[in-house]
Amino acid sequence: MKLLIKNGRVVDPSSKTDKKLDVLIDKGKIIDIQPKISAGGTKSIDASGLVVAPGFIDMHVHLREPGQEDKETIATGARAAARGGFTSIACMPNTSPVNDNRGVTEYILSEAKRNAAVNVFPIASITKEEKGEELTDMADLMDAGAVAFSDDGMPVQNSQVMRRALEYSKILNTVIIDHCEDKNLSADGVMHEGYYSYLFGLRGIPASSEETIVSRDIILAQKADAAIHIAHLSVKGAVALVKEAKKKKVKVTAEVTPHHLFLTDSLIETYDTNLKMNPPLRSKEDARALKQAVKDGTIDAFATDHAPHTLDEKDVEFDIAPFGINGLETAVPLFLDKLVNKNIIPISRFVEMISTNPALILRFENKGKICEGADADLTLLNLRKKIVVDVNSFKSKSRNNPFHGWELKGAPEMTIVGGKIAFSSSSLKNMVQ
Ligand SMILES: [Zn+2]
């Protein structure tokens, strides 16, 4: 069945489009974009006053299935994504068992096909069991459907192993997603090392633990002429390294999370375990550098690092709580409120960072753009809608989110995946005819 989206403001950075257009969808594809499309008898959505963007892609999500379904499942994570405005998510391999063989990749894909409201793309591990020792069969994993490789959370410490992974990734035309952390430097730290870690009496994770590995892996990627994507950039020094590498034409891209942009280490005075994640919340100066890097293009993508945990796990002392926060349902309102509506970046730059660029980095040829023949994945946004974050309304299974109670302006109204409505806010439900 055809679907017509009328009167919306189409923002598509890939074609530098920002104007009022109608979009016609059929059989999961965009088939026409015109100032006025009249398609009688077609189901239509009045998107007056809304932004129509290519579907948002979160390239850094932890879905917990298989193995930790009490935190999240593929189905609940995908529902959270749809509500949060995401049409595609890429899931990290640190499940139980680790996604280091085609059996797990195939399981995730078949489960997603059965139960997921959005597109789910598995990221396989770089090394077997994420132990950092032996490479996985990357070609076989890609054949099974893996879209990238990462040992996120358990980053590869052995430089030779990372070098070989980059060399293989080059041959296979894929990308290594790098959680940059020197485990000897971060050791048993639980928050950013600095004034506040001393004040609060908590063990610190120095900025250098990120900077050293960013530096190492930029060098290794350059020598291998391979693509490397730096996950959740958090410190000023690492931003400078990425900026420098880009000048030298190294194939490096980088992402940033909402929490590293909008929260800082001083907040940990409450010892709220929903402020504990890895990399940790950094200093004000670091957050300022990240914002600048979003503006000047040093950082390419927004990602949530959605890391659900149960209440019980987080309801412990700060020291022993697990790292990670829930992010899929708060990211888009945060970016819209804090960056777009405050005129830090234009809406086109926001869409570029949350759709166009993730599609390019993950090599999704038919996503991240609104043009004839592209996949009918669309996110409809209301820039003026005011919301109050309520973790109890989450579609996700988990509630570990530090933004509870925040009043934000700007929210997703509808998420269309492959031409089907995966999520619709109550205000927009009436607009479908
Ligand atoms: Zn990570």
Side-chain angles (χ1 to χ4, degrees):
M1 169 146 183
K2 286 184 185 174
L3 181 64
L4 178 64
I5 298 147
K6 292 190 301 188
N7 308 321
R9 172 186 170 194
V10 172
V11 175
D12 175 39
S14 81
S15 59
K16 298 200 163 51
T17 303
D18 183 349
K19 59 180 167 193
K20 212 170 148 186
L21 291 166
D22 291 355
V23 180
L24 186 62
I25 291 167
D26 190 27
K27 298 188 182 79
K29 299 280 178 194
I30 294 167
I31 60 163
D32 201 7
I33 308 140
Q34 298 285 343
K36 236 341 40 11
I37 300 174
S38 49
T42 306
K43 185 168 156 186
S44 71
I45 296 159
D46 185 3
S48 299
L50 303 182
V51 167
V52 178
F56 296 165
I57 300 166
D58 187 352
M59 55 188 297
H60 195 141
V61 168
H62 298 272
L63 288 178
R64 308 302 189 198
E65 185 178 359
Q68 295 181 303
E69 290 84 354
D70 52 335
K71 297 175 197 261
E72 194 81 285
T73 64
I74 291 166
T76 58
R79 270 206 294 281
R83 181 182 181 231
F86 295 98
T87 57
S88 295
I89 49 179
C91 55
M92 284 296 173
N94 62 334
T95 45
S96 182
V98 170
N99 183 10
D100 63 2
N101 65 83
R102 72 181 299 138
V104 180
T105 301
E106 282 168 355
Y107 170 78
I108 293 167
L109 285 171
S110 72
E111 200 48 35
K113 201 173 172 192
R114 248 201 315 276
N115 285 322
V118 302
N119 307 302
V120 175
F121 295 99
I123 296 166
S125 64
I126 297 170
T127 63
K128 289 185 179 159
E129 294 178 65
E130 291 195 313
K131 281 187 171 162
E133 292 161 4
E134 198 185 337
L135 292 183
T136 53
D137 188 340
M138 291 165 70
D140 194 46
L141 282 155
M142 283 183 77
D143 182 62
V147 295
F149 294 86
S150 181
D151 275 6
D152 185 58
M154 297 289 288
V156 178
Q157 301 297 297
N158 183 320
S159 307
Q160 177 73 328
V161 172
M162 187 50 114
R163 175 192 171 179
R164 294 290 178 235
L166 285 160
E167 287 168 352
Y168 278 113
S169 74
K170 159 88 177 165
I171 295 165
L172 296 167
N173 189 28
T174 185
V175 62
I176 299 282
I177 299 175
D178 202 5
H179 167 125
C180 295
E181 177 187 355
D182 182 320
K183 288 278 187 188
N184 288 307
L185 287 171
S186 58
D188 52 2
V190 295
M191 71 170 285
H192 175 58
E193 181 183 290
Y195 172 79
Y196 290 105
S197 63
Y198 294 108
L199 191 65
F200 304 151
L202 293 168
R203 290 183 303 276
I205 300 173
S208 56
S209 82
E210 179 168 320
E211 290 156 352
T212 48
I213 301 297
V214 170
S215 179
R216 179 197 77 175
D217 290 349
I218 282 173
I219 292 168
L220 294 175
Q222 184 178 24
K223 305 270 184 212
D225 190 30
I228 190 150
H229 176 76
I230 312 290
H232 40 50
L233 211 55
S234 77
V235 292
K236 189 180 172 183
V239 170
L241 289 164
V242 171
K243 193 167 186 174
E244 202 51 40
K246 284 189 164 187
K247 274 193 205 143
K248 292 184 196 151
K249 303 281 177 237
V250 181
K251 292 171 187 160
V252 59
T253 52
E255 73 190 25
V256 67
T257 68
H259 46 276
H260 291 116
L261 285 169
F262 309 129
L263 302 174
T264 53
D265 58 349
S266 68
L267 297 167
I268 296 171
E269 66 179 346
T270 59
Y271 296 91
D272 177 358
T273 57
N274 289 329
L275 298 168
K276 183 176 177 184
M277 68 290 289
N278 188 14
L281 298 180
R282 301 290 190 177
S283 70
K284 273 207 174 81
E285 203 186 342
D286 291 313
R288 217 177 294 131
L290 293 170
K291 260 181 220 154
Q292 182 53 36
V294 166
K295 280 163 68 174
D296 71 18
T298 304
I299 296 178
D300 304 87
F302 290 130
T304 66
D305 194 4
H306 177 79
H309 292 292
T310 64
L311 265 163
D312 284 355
E313 287 168 308
K314 279 288 198 182
D315 193 16
V316 292
E317 284 167 53
F318 196 90
D319 253 340
I320 56 171
F323 291 104
I325 62 163
N326 188 305
L328 281 167
E329 290 166 84
T330 45
V332 170
L334 282 163
F335 292 131
L336 292 178
D337 183 287
K338 304 271 166 227
L339 298 177
V340 178
N341 281 328
K342 299 234 166 26
N343 293 318
I344 309 278
I345 56 168
I347 183 79
S348 57
R349 173 72 180 143
F350 164 69
V351 174
E352 183 177 56
M353 291 191 63
I354 203 159
S355 180
T356 323
N357 286 348
L360 290 172
I361 294 163
L362 293 174
R363 295 137 208 257
F364 296 160
E365 281 179 17
N366 293 315
K367 298 193 185 296
K369 56 190 171 187
I370 298 180
C371 61
E372 273 177 50
D375 292 343
D377 293 349
L378 298 167
T379 303
L380 275 52
L381 299 172
N382 184 339
L383 300 181
R384 286 179 298 276
K385 184 173 191 165
K386 288 188 177 151
I387 63 146
V388 180
V389 175
D390 177 7
V391 296
N392 300 309
S393 73
F394 280 4
K395 304 280 183 196
S396 167
K397 255 192 186 184
S398 294
R399 304 278 174 267
N400 53 314
N401 180 295
F403 301 104
H404 180 67
W406 283 37
E407 292 174 26
L408 301 168
K409 194 167 133 188
E413 289 276 17
M414 184 177 275
T415 311
I416 298 170
V417 180
K420 295 199 182 83
I421 297 168
F423 162 78
S424 174
S425 71
S426 46
S427 41
L428 207 64
K429 268 185 189 133
N430 315 320
M431 308 302 276
V432 183
Q433 286 169 346

